[in-house]
Amino acid sequence: MTFARGNVHSGSASAHFVLVPMMAQGHTIPMTDMARLLAEHGAQVSFVTTPVNASRLAGFIADVEAAGLAIRFVELHFPTTEFGLPDGCENLDLIQAKGLFLNFMEACAALREPLMAHLREQHQLSPPSCIISDMMHWWTGDIARELGIPRLTFIGFCGFSSLVRYIISQNNLLENMTDENELITIPGFPTHLELTKAKCPGSLCVPGMEKIREKMIEEELRSDGEVINSFQELETVYIESFEQVAKKKAWTVGPMCLCHRDSNTMAARGSKASMDEAQCLQWLDSMKPGSVIFVSFGSLAATTPQQLVELGLGLEASKKPFIWVIKAGPKFPEVEEWLADGFEERVKDRGMIIRGWAPQMMILWHQAIGGFMTHCGWNSTVEGICAGVPMITWPHFAEQFLNEKLVVDVLKTGLEVGVKGVTQWGNTEQEVMVTRDAVETAVYTLMGEGKAAEELRMRAKHYAIKARRAFDEEGSSYNNVRLLIQEMGNNTNACG
Ligand code: UDP
């Protein structure tokens, strides 16, 4: 069944964007920001979602309605059981076994017909002018062609990582490499860059994935441009090079999280927080400015139980105040037992543990936060950049190792904890990649008074200012959003 919620202020809008996010927190959250941003700039938006994901977005939907933004939520039935998925498994973070990834991707592709039917039905009322869809939703290319409108892809990477991904794919760099740990130099990259196959994006091995990956790439190549959640001044050379290599326009419209900068909407971003936000703020208020390290590894990282314990012991040894977001729960009862068996008691005066969903932006923005230990998902990374905090980088998989390189080697706003290997999504091995000593040293160094830490802090603040300038009126990203709406608005009357 297809139904829509929300108001559409068709009269005032210049272009109508259909946004189709991948159902994974790190992909959906930036698209909710994109929807807000486009609507705030006067465009209409249809935001495609499914029942389970819509319920996570309840806070966002309520905000949109309260603000009277022209965002329509198109809620499509997600065919879980039809594709061998458990009932309610509508988000990548709900997949229990890696083998079901393919089923999930097929269920996504089955949204093509109902979405097409919905858009046709809506056509008289408000013809779409452009589809912006996640790179993984390759099937939206067909819809765009059928409607005669452009499709822009969104992958959620920064320019630096997008460029590496393109070069790897164009040159088939990973194809004949058998040794996961062999170092390769990325040819044609504007600066020298070497990394192993395992640390390259696109190395996730799921049986049967090859065909889907080919379709994604094929459709991405056919797409009319890319929307990038970054800003020109952060990584000019990589964004320009990306446009040349991909032979496409890259619309840098970020950091999109900044659409929350002056509002109280940041607390409910992505999902409802699993703890009392007021209590969290009260705790932060009681801490000295810049004294707390925030530790969070996003929504999908499969940090092993042993590694979590080792990380906790490192935090304890550092003697610095911390907020640690742990997604152990019923999945790792041994971690819960370990936390309860003395750890929480020992650190209770200076450590806050958040189980489940944390209001990450609200925390990062607080003046008590002086450092961010992150898995380097791009959203977390760019949120850290906007908050002006230096980072300790702890990549797990996907393009996170590239984001680490951008932060540590290019921007010089963070230091590595020293991860040597990859912890793939869906990992079930029991390995410790980073010792408690390495954690202690990194935290102690980043949060300390040394010259190196001072410089990291200074540069982090510098980029936060640049990010705001890009996003604010007449900044590069601000202007790009306006241009995007203008350019796509010209298609509105042409399609049918
Ligand atoms: N996030 C959050 N609370 C959590 C975990 C994650 O608000 O407890 C948000 C975080 O702010 C970011 C997104 O979820 O916007 C995660 O995206 P990212 O690209 O950093 O990592 P992924 O989850 O895709 O690995």
Side-chain angles (χ1 to χ4, degrees):
M1 190 178 60
T2 307
F3 60 95
R5 298 196 294 211
N7 303 320
V8 174
H9 302 220
S10 47
S12 61
S14 53
H16 175 189
F17 291 86
V18 178
L19 303 193
V20 195
M22 173 41 72
M23 302 80 154
Q25 294 299 73
H27 293 238
T28 300
I29 291 172
M31 277 233 178
T32 59
D33 292 345
M34 192 189 295
R36 185 188 294 270
L37 196 58
L38 290 167
E40 281 174 355
H41 278 263
Q44 280 182 53
V45 176
S46 290
F47 190 94
V48 178
T49 185
T50 71
V52 168
N53 292 295
S55 69
R56 291 188 188 187
L57 296 176
F60 172 59
I61 294 171
D63 287 341
V64 160
E65 280 171 5
L69 291 172
I71 303 175
R72 175 195 291 270
F73 292 91
V74 181
E75 207 173 281
L76 303 177
H77 163 73
F78 192 69
T80 47
T81 45
E82 296 89 322
F83 285 89
L85 293 164
D87 195 23
C89 182
E90 299 183 12
N91 192 294
L92 278 184
D93 63 16
L94 295 170
I95 294 183
Q96 298 294 343
K98 212 157 96 173
L100 289 176
F101 183 73
L102 212 61
N103 306 48
F104 191 87
M105 292 304 295
E106 283 164 358
C108 287
L111 296 178
R112 176 177 29 202
E113 294 313 319
L115 180 56
M116 189 65 221
H118 171 81
L119 294 175
R120 283 231 169 275
E121 205 181 288
Q122 288 298 309
H123 199 267
Q124 291 295 11
L125 185 66
S126 51
S129 14
C130 171
I131 294 181
I132 305 180
S133 54
D134 197 286
M135 192 272 283
M136 294 166 92
H137 290 317
W138 55 271
W139 47 273
T140 51
D142 283 346
I143 300 183
R145 281 188 291 278
E146 213 168 304
L147 292 174
I149 57 174
R151 176 202 176 207
L152 305 180
T153 43
F154 176 72
I155 175 173
F157 285 16
C158 59
F160 183 96
S161 304
S162 296
L163 176 60
V164 174
R165 201 182 126 257
Y166 242 90
I167 295 176
I168 289 175
S169 145
Q170 275 186 353
N171 297 282
N172 284 329
L173 283 187
L174 304 185
E175 215 150 82
N176 299 319
M177 286 179 71
T178 44
D179 181 359
E180 291 273 297
N181 297 314
E182 191 187 326
L183 265 181
I184 43 170
T185 303
I186 305 298
F189 200 68
T191 47
H192 182 70
L193 181 65
E194 270 187 344
L195 73 171
T196 62
K197 175 178 180 180
K199 291 182 179 178
C200 288
S203 61
L204 176 68
C205 293
V206 176
M209 185 59 197
E210 271 325 303
K211 269 212 162 72
I212 294 187
R213 193 171 278 140
E214 270 168 33
K215 283 185 183 158
M216 286 182 202
I217 292 171
E218 189 189 312
E219 282 295 347
E220 189 181 8
L221 290 174
R222 293 175 83 173
S223 75
D224 301 277
E226 306 253 347
V227 180
I228 299 190
N229 184 16
S230 184
F231 58 103
Q232 281 292 336
E233 296 78 359
L234 185 76
E235 39 167 0
T236 316
V237 58
Y238 304 107
I239 290 164
E240 283 175 2
S241 181
F242 173 81
E243 288 189 312
Q244 281 160 15
V245 171
K247 300 187 184 68
K248 283 185 199 307
K249 169 114 185 97
W251 300 91
T252 47
V253 295
M256 295 191 287
C257 64
L258 283 177
C259 66
H260 300 276
R261 69 198 180 292
D262 302 319
S263 76
N264 55 8
T265 53
M266 61 170 75
R269 197 159 163 265
S271 202
K272 191 171 163 16
S274 60
M275 30 64 77
D276 184 37
E277 288 142 23
Q279 218 178 333
C280 178
L281 284 175
Q282 209 178 7
W283 186 89
L284 282 164
D285 287 345
S286 72
M287 294 290 160
K288 280 198 201 124
S291 66
V292 179
I293 175 104
F294 176 56
V295 183
S296 178
F297 291 161
S299 63
L300 292 175
T303 322
T304 62
Q306 288 84 345
Q307 183 64 81
L308 287 171
V309 170
E310 197 71 11
L311 164 52
L313 291 171
L315 288 176
E316 184 180 357
S318 77
K319 301 196 172 54
K320 302 288 180 192
F322 63 86
I323 293 186
W324 182 16
V325 186
I326 308 184
K327 296 193 173 21
K331 203 168 65 177
F332 296 144
E334 61 271 52
V335 176
E336 289 298 335
E337 263 169 48
W338 172 79
L339 290 169
D341 190 21
F343 179 79
E344 279 185 283
E345 180 58 27
R346 295 197 301 276
V347 299
K348 69 173 190 293
D349 294 335
R350 61 180 177 86
M352 172 181 277
I353 292 170
I354 299 178
R355 294 170 167 85
W357 194 254
Q360 178 160 310
M361 263 193 81
M362 183 193 90
I363 294 172
L364 274 175
W365 248 241
H366 195 281
Q367 58 163 5
I369 300 297
F372 181 18
M373 184 183 280
T374 171
H375 72 308
C376 299
W378 179 244
N379 297 294
S380 295
T381 308
V382 84
E383 287 158 20
I385 290 171
C386 291
V389 290
M391 296 178 233
I392 294 174
T393 57
W394 188 320
H396 284 59
F397 71 106
E399 96 290 12
Q400 295 159 9
F401 289 91
L402 297 171
N403 297 337
E404 172 178 67
K405 292 231 175 265
L406 178 70
V407 168
V408 175
D409 298 341
V410 179
L411 306 178
K412 299 187 168 56
T413 57
L415 51 91
E416 295 181 19
V417 80
V419 181
K420 298 278 177 281
V422 175
T423 308
Q424 271 302 359
W425 176 69
N427 166 67
T428 48
E429 281 165 32
Q430 311 283 309
E431 256 181 288
V432 168
M433 295 275 182
V434 180
T435 63
R436 66 191 75 170
D437 290 349
V439 174
E440 180 190 353
T441 307
V443 173
Y444 194 80
T445 309
L446 190 87
M447 305 301 286
E449 302 302 324
K451 187 163 175 274
E454 280 303 333
E455 283 177 7
L456 291 175
R457 281 193 276 274
M458 214 179 60
R459 279 192 291 267
K461 294 222 155 49
H462 163 80
Y463 282 111
I465 293 169
K466 282 192 167 211
R468 273 159 209 257
R469 279 199 194 127
F471 194 82
D472 284 343
E473 205 160 336
E474 298 311 325
S476 59
S477 293
Y478 180 96
N479 289 337
N480 280 342
V481 176
R482 297 196 76 83
L483 284 172
L484 176 65
I485 293 174
Q486 211 174 49
E487 197 164 307
M488 296 306 148
N490 294 337
N491 301 314
T492 305
N493 299 321
C495 65

